[in-house]
Amino acid sequence: MELHELTAHELGELLKNKKVSAVELTKTVLDRIEKVDSKVGSYITVCEDEALKRAKDVQEKIDKGETKSPLAGIPMALKDNMCTEGIKTTCASKMLNNFVPPYNATVAKKLYDQDTILLGKLNMDEFAMGGSNENSYFKQTKNPWDLERVPGGSSGGSAAAVASNEAIFTLGSDTGGSIRQPASFCGVVGIKPTYGAVSRFGLVAFASSLDQIGPLTKDVTDCALVLNAITGHDPMDSTSINIEYPDYTKALVNDVKGMKIGIPKEYIGEGINPEVKKSILDAIEVLRKLGAECEEFSLPITEYAIPAYYLIACAEASSNLARYDGVKYGYRAEKYTDLLDLYKQTRSEGFGDEVKRRIMLGTYALSSGYYDAYYKKALQVRTLISKGFNEAFSKYDLIVGPTAPTTAFKIGEKANDPLEMYLGDIYTVSVNIAGLPGLVVPCGLDSSNLPVGLQLIGKHFDESTLLRVGYTFEQNTEFHKNKAKI
Amino acid sequence: MEYEIVIGLEVHSELSTKSKIYCTCTTEFGGEVNTHCCPICTGMPGVLPVLNEKVVEYAVKAGLATNCTIAEYSKQDRKNYFYPDLPKAYQTSQYDLPICKNGYIDIEVNGETKRIGLTRIHIEEDAGKLMHDEWDTGSLVDYNRCGVPLIEIVSEPDIRSAEEAKVFLENLKAILQYIDVSDCKMQEGSLRADVNLSVRPKGQKEFGTRTEMKNLNSFRGIIRAIEAETKRQIDEIESGGVIVQETRRWDDNKGISYAMRSKEEAHDYRYFPEPDLVPIVLDKEWIEKIRESLPELPEARKKRYVSEYGLPEYDAGILTSSKALSDFFEDAVSKSSNAKAVSNWIMGDLMRLLKEKNMEAEEIPFSGEYLAKMVALIDKGTISGAIAKKVFDKMFNTGKDPEVIVKEEGLEVVSDEGALVAVVTKILENNPQSVADYKSGKEKAFGFLVGQAMKETKGKASPQIINKILKEELDKM
Ligand SMILES: [Zn+2]
């Protein structure tokens, strides 16, 4: 095995025992990027010099015994919607093509504090809007399992980078499935933590009440390690919750005996690809055999989750993205006649189609006369969805189901049908609407040799249960050992 | 036909917190352009607001001081519109659940007390400032004021005249200054008002169509705008026209208002709950603590001045109209046994000098203690009333202790009778005609002679003693 193929916890041991240096490891991963990224296209920005310099500094700390971080010296990368001081943060948009933030996102700061090495910034759907990375202004990230297919999105670069060993782990953001769906498509582990568990400060907002940052990793153990590094209360984010966060590695226990698992009927009924369904049911069977009590139940109003999600997310986005007006930073149209025209031209030229579509949808939903029929209704649905989950969690320790109705689809296949693209979010959006944690672990391959991801949904702030079940599943199956051949 | 004016005011007042509402930037006025700002108040990508707790405290104080109900649960909302002075393209404000509601302020006009209802008080952030003038090719933006906390105080349409509006604003300003939540400096824009105005035939129950005049920032401007808009609306109706519901911009230089282009005012603000902030949940006990911490308010002070010091209502009203003036009075009175005299000096000479020098009560150059000392000097007979006026002027101009002034300039009353007899004798010698007039029964001549004697002593003589000696000397003649 080559260094870049190892997990963070394996590399951590090697680094600690001086079997490998941070510089050597960083160089290896940079070489790997050099070798495969022209095919995969995970990165928007690679910061080679900074990464090597940092690796040198971190190695000195390791040598002097000045770091206790289990992630010290691990090369990682961030989705390009997380602000990095002095490093371009584009959101894969022409609008922020030239934007260099003068501040770090809290997650970037936390990972620096853990002595990790930032390799660069990852491709995504523009402003995190999309499920295929087809909405990036810069390029199409490809699925390392099949370069003709999408990696999923919006954190497509984050998932593809891990799957192609172009980073040991990455961070993505998840507003309606944007970590979990690409994790599923690329055969990696990904978690969307509970809303409020990870600071959003410095995450360029798409939909503030739904956005959450989380790790994409090679296995569940790495997922726990990275969660340990990035969760926690942040006084800079009013929606960050101030509680005692557990040591997630303590949850890595190979035992699910007696655990009560609910499977929403609506998630394995109509609309799901039969091969995906089979993988999911097989995975549930594995858990049952390991002693978990699994039963189907009905999660009501699942069919309203997508419209409610798109109304809320677009409404918030229409306001969050209004600041990109050509006045202060980012793109400004070259030709305009007056102020209004400056806004019009800048925003027409600076945003891509999907972003514009969602801004218009959101603006409409908030307009006087329509607010009650759309936005307010969506908030009511939100309350009902949360209620449905609460009831389920009075019976079950966690909920298990598919992540997406299909495996990775062909590039261009859905590009002209936004509605079909939106329907692909059916199993993920409710989790954001209710603010719950959702973990995805690989659970099989379909007949085209494409990965399927099992989604585990937990109670608020109960990431530990998800990690425990995910870890147990991993320890008793070989699916996580399937790797993209690139 | 006789018309009735119906006015509602929306007053924006800048809170005097040290830092801005959602970041730690200073709120200090002035400063080089774009130096009092940061990524948060300039709305850079990815930043988040954190509510300054002082803003909540100040708003609650304002609510309690104006008899509002304080909401134990309120929230903040986004008001969306594009303008270069608004870097996020939305103003964070409060929409349907404001922090304070249902209050009132009592005003007194023409000797009658009237209650003006307050619909609500809510918190919001100020915008930056566009600078159009210096540049032909474009405008520049200064974000220093961006994110300075404001409260918006919305009155019920209970105001019926320009005078009522003026008194309402004066009272409101005094209250906000007393509770120390705003300095209300109009020239720095820390108090501004929008005026909603309609007219209706006297006796009619329904309101007429109203217009809104925006951003008036002087009391004088508000009064003038109200008068002009009242006249405009009545003229319009009298000439058979109808009032259009619209926003108008007041031009204080020309004394007229213009309808804003409908494009400018046709805003759909698309309010929705601010998802980056959590609801404001207040504890009953905390609210009560704030209530207990409130200082004495102008109305209560005014009543106390009348009952405790026997001041005329009018004087008590003037003294309490400004916190600085009232605090000055309090300071002086606490060191004096003659509240009446202290009040008279403030109402008379002090107000005159402030007006002459175009100064505010905040800028009085000497302490209340000095005024108390000066009053004591008069009461003890150390100086005469006439001399006191000079001492007062000197004190105002130099800020010196009145006792020092009196000593340095030798202004004590001369009460040495021997010396004064000499003065009187000299006056009588020099004015034989007046002496003759007095002797022939012209009482007026006596007053002239007293005046001459006072002049001779440069006002330092005790008038009583001069009177006495003069009588004696004349009787001898
Ligand atoms: Zn600031």
Side-chain angles (χ1 to χ4, degrees), chain B residues 8 46 80 86 91 105 119 159 180 206 263 317 336 341 383 402 450 474:
Chain B
N80 296 283
L86 194 67
Q91 178 194 32
I105 292 177
T119 318
I159 299 166
D180 212 11
E206 303 78 42
K263 218 172 170 184
S336 172
I383 54 172
V450 171
L474 282 167

Side-chain angles (χ1 to χ4, degrees), chain B residues 70-353:
Chain B
I70 308 301
E72 284 169 47
Y73 181 97
S74 68
K75 68 177 172 70
Q76 295 165 87
D77 301 273
R78 290 187 186 176
K79 178 182 182 179
N80 296 283
Y81 64 96
F82 286 95
Y83 205 62
D85 68 2
L86 194 67
K88 293 178 293 182
Y90 56 82
Q91 178 194 32
T92 309
S93 179
Q94 294 192 288
Y95 185 52
D96 53 345
L97 295 174
I99 194 159
C100 316
K101 332 176 255 217
N102 303 331
Y104 63 83
I105 292 177
D106 286 335
I107 61 169
E108 207 182 291
V109 175
N110 301 329
E112 273 180 46
T113 303
K114 182 174 169 181
R115 182 157 290 183
I116 307 296
L118 297 184
T119 318
R120 58 188 280 165
I121 299 177
H122 70 248
I123 56 172
E124 61 185 27
E125 57 181 337
D126 206 349
K129 208 177 130 205
L130 278 198
M131 299 181 293
H132 295 291
D133 306 336
E134 299 101 289
W135 300 79
D136 305 334
T137 52
S139 301
L140 298 178
V141 203
D142 178 7
Y143 290 123
N144 280 356
R145 302 316 289 161
C146 213
V148 168
L150 303 174
I151 46 174
E152 180 174 332
I153 302 142
V154 182
S155 90
E156 292 284 311
D158 290 343
I159 299 166
R160 294 288 174 272
S161 69
E163 177 65 15
E164 286 185 14
K166 181 169 158 260
V167 177
F168 171 81
L169 287 169
E170 282 169 354
N171 287 11
L172 176 62
K173 180 178 164 183
I175 291 170
L176 296 178
Q177 286 178 333
Y178 271 63
I179 59 175
D180 212 11
V181 303
S182 174
D183 57 19
C184 298
K185 285 185 186 154
M186 289 196 114
Q187 66 276 19
E188 291 180 9
S190 45
L191 196 71
R192 325 188 273 263
D194 300 343
V195 178
N196 292 301
L197 188 150
S198 65
V199 299
R200 62 181 170 191
K202 222 174 178 133
Q204 180 181 304
K205 269 224 155 98
E206 303 78 42
F207 290 133
T209 306
R210 68 186 166 86
T211 60
E212 184 181 9
M213 279 180 294
K214 284 250 179 231
N215 253 349
L216 298 152
N217 53 11
S218 75
F219 281 7
R220 192 176 144 272
I222 292 166
I223 302 311
R224 274 164 34 102
I226 288 175
E227 283 164 352
E229 180 60 10
T230 305
K231 186 173 177 310
R232 190 193 70 83
Q233 289 193 13
I234 293 174
D235 288 352
E236 186 73 38
I237 294 168
E238 297 270 284
S239 64
V242 282
I243 305 302
V244 184
Q245 184 165 353
E246 63 191 356
T247 306
R248 301 179 68 84
R249 178 175 287 145
W250 173 250
D251 183 332
D252 204 39
N253 293 324
K254 295 190 182 135
I256 40 175
S257 64
Y258 301 92
M260 284 163 76
R261 283 181 293 130
S262 57
K263 218 172 170 184
E264 281 178 290
E265 58 154 330
H267 280 311
D268 177 356
Y269 291 120
R270 291 172 282 118
Y271 279 101
F272 76 104
E274 164 60 281
D276 285 330
L277 291 164
V278 289
I280 302 168
V281 180
L282 300 178
D283 183 64
K284 258 196 193 118
E285 263 173 53
W286 182 82
I287 297 171
E288 284 316 306
K289 239 193 216 153
I290 300 287
R291 191 194 302 276
E292 279 159 28
S293 78
L294 286 183
E296 187 182 32
L297 296 173
E299 201 48 42
R301 261 198 189 176
K302 181 180 162 189
K303 284 194 183 122
R304 184 165 59 81
Y305 287 2
V306 173
S307 63
E308 194 176 328
Y309 304 125
L311 301 186
E313 284 243 357
Y314 176 79
D315 295 10
I318 298 278
L319 285 178
T320 52
S321 67
S322 137
K323 175 163 192 289
L325 197 63
S326 177
D327 284 349
F328 180 81
F329 173 74
E330 295 274 319
D331 185 21
V333 144
S334 72
K335 284 149 190 141
S336 172
S337 52
N338 192 348
K340 201 87 185 234
V342 166
S343 166
N344 286 340
W345 278 100
I346 295 175
M347 294 293 293
D349 289 65
L350 182 59
M351 295 295 264
R352 173 181 56 82
L353 284 166

Side-chain angles (χ1 to χ4, degrees), chain A residues 211-453:
Chain A
D211 295 343
Q212 191 66 190
I213 294 171
L216 291 104
T217 57
K218 296 179 179 183
D219 67 6
V220 175
T221 304
D222 279 7
C223 184
L225 284 174
V226 181
L227 266 189
N228 275 352
I230 62 171
T231 50
H233 175 242
D234 179 8
M236 300 290 279
D237 175 359
S238 312
T239 62
S240 137
I241 307 292
N242 194 358
I243 54 164
E244 199 66 48
Y245 289 85
D247 175 356
Y248 294 104
T249 59
K250 294 247 161 67
L252 302 173
V253 177
N254 184 359
D255 178 16
V256 292
K257 264 185 226 76
M259 212 163 256
K260 295 191 179 64
I261 297 178
I263 300 122
K265 279 190 197 118
E266 292 78 3
Y267 282 29
I268 47 172
E270 243 174 89
I272 188 167
N273 172 292
E275 290 191 49
V276 172
K277 182 173 174 178
K278 184 173 182 307
S279 287
I280 300 301
L281 294 179
D282 288 351
I284 290 165
E285 199 47 39
V286 169
L287 292 171
R288 195 196 308 275
K289 283 198 177 129
L290 289 167
E293 296 166 23
C294 305
E295 69 174 30
E296 288 185 20
F297 75 103
S298 176
L299 195 60
I301 67 165
T302 296
E303 70 266 35
Y304 296 117
I306 295 234
Y309 167 78
Y310 276 94
L311 284 168
I312 294 168
C314 295
E316 291 179 11
S318 71
S319 173
N320 282 333
L321 272 66
R323 68 187 64 193
Y324 309 112
D325 56 6
V327 172
K328 305 160 294 270
Y329 45 73
Y331 179 75
R332 176 189 290 183
E334 270 174 36
K335 285 188 191 142
Y336 49 88
T337 53
D338 57 13
L339 180 63
L340 192 63
D341 197 44
L342 163 70
Y343 292 153
K344 277 188 184 168
Q345 299 307 330
T346 298
R347 291 168 66 78
S348 299
E349 294 164 22
F351 289 134
D353 287 348
E354 182 59 28
V355 171
K356 280 186 262 192
R357 180 158 36 237
R358 295 196 193 192
I359 289 173
M360 283 188 278
L361 188 67
T363 304
Y364 184 78
L366 289 176
S367 298
S368 75
Y370 299 99
Y371 183 91
D372 286 357
Y374 296 115
Y375 186 72
K376 207 170 160 195
K377 262 269 146 44
L379 291 186
Q380 288 162 352
V381 172
R382 182 173 206 166
T383 308
L384 291 176
I385 287 175
S386 293
K387 216 174 129 232
F389 276 114
N390 283 341
E391 277 166 19
F393 284 125
S394 68
K395 283 192 280 178
Y396 308 114
D397 297 310
L398 74 159
I399 292 167
V400 167
T403 311
T406 64
T407 52
F409 46 88
K410 288 244 166 79
I411 293 165
E413 192 182 322
K414 295 186 184 177
N416 296 318
D417 192 350
L419 207 58
E420 204 196 325
M421 195 80 98
Y422 296 172
L423 290 174
D425 299 338
I426 179 86
Y427 310 133
T428 46
V429 292
S430 299
V431 173
N432 300 79
I433 288 176
L436 301 169
L439 172 71
V440 169
V441 293
C443 70
L445 296 174
D446 70 0
S447 52
S448 311
N449 200 40
L450 294 168
V452 179

Side-chain angles (χ1 to χ4, degrees), chain A residues 31-41 164 166 486:
Chain A
D31 286 349
R32 174 73 182 167
I33 295 170
E34 177 74 36
K35 198 173 147 218
V36 302
D37 207 49
S38 56
K39 284 183 263 177
V40 181
S164 59
E166 294 182 273
I486 182 147

Side-chain angles (χ1 to χ4, degrees), chain B residues 20 23-25 36-42:
Chain B
K20 291 186 179 180
C23 64
T24 55
C25 291
H36 295 172
C37 46
C38 71
I40 296 173
C41 53
T42 53

